[in-house]
Amino acid sequence: LKARVKHFVENPSDDSALPEKHVRRLPLLGRVGVTDTHVISLQYDRRTSYDAYFSVSTQLRRAYYELRDSASRRYFRCPLARATAEQQDVLRACYPQRISETMLP
């Protein structure tokens, strides 16, 4: 799941079936292509176990973290955990976490 989410959010090959990239001017990075209009929908119902919900939710969030960490290493030559607050803000803009959670009836 995590690998699929990363591929979906990053859209490395500009696949028209994936979220469209928009060129944005970001501080510290200049002009970069970002998929800032995508949304990942996590839907569950009353029968969903907490463990299943938590596992999926964790994988979604880890995918975003790994994308940002990789970008931090590429752009700033340091892991995300050591990036400055300003650098982390830019990386969040580069890979905005857009997760919608809905409980189905």
Side-chain angles (χ1 to χ4, degrees):
L1 175 64
K2 184 173 57 173
R4 291 181 71 186
V5 169
K6 288 168 61 174
H7 183 77
F8 177 80
V9 172
E10 192 169 34
N11 189 4
S13 59
D14 288 329
D15 184 337
S16 63
L18 297 176
E20 183 180 359
K21 284 188 176 180
H22 301 102
V23 175
R24 302 285 190 244
R25 180 174 294 282
L26 297 176
L28 307 177
L29 300 182
R31 295 172 53 87
V32 293
V34 299
T35 58
D36 55 358
T37 59
H38 73 276
V39 176
I40 295 175
S41 178
L42 172 57
Q43 298 178 337
Y44 58 95
D45 63 26
R46 288 177 291 187
R47 295 171 294 167
T48 305
S49 72
Y50 179 75
D51 288 341
Y53 166 82
F54 187 77
S55 176
V56 170
S57 180
T58 299
Q59 290 297 306
L60 295 176
R61 284 165 177 67
R62 282 184 182 164
Y64 283 98
Y65 181 87
E66 287 181 12
L67 286 169
R68 293 171 183 165
D69 185 63
S70 177
S72 181
R73 291 170 190 276
R74 183 172 60 250
Y75 292 120
F76 306 125
R77 308 277 189 248
C78 69
L80 183 60
R82 288 196 9 235
T84 67
E86 182 181 18
Q87 290 169 335
Q88 289 183 22
D89 287 344
V90 168
L91 296 169
R92 276 191 292 276
C94 197
Y95 295 108
Q97 184 171 297
R98 303 179 61 84
I99 301 171
S100 169
E101 296 185 17
T102 306
M103 183 171 176
L104 300 173

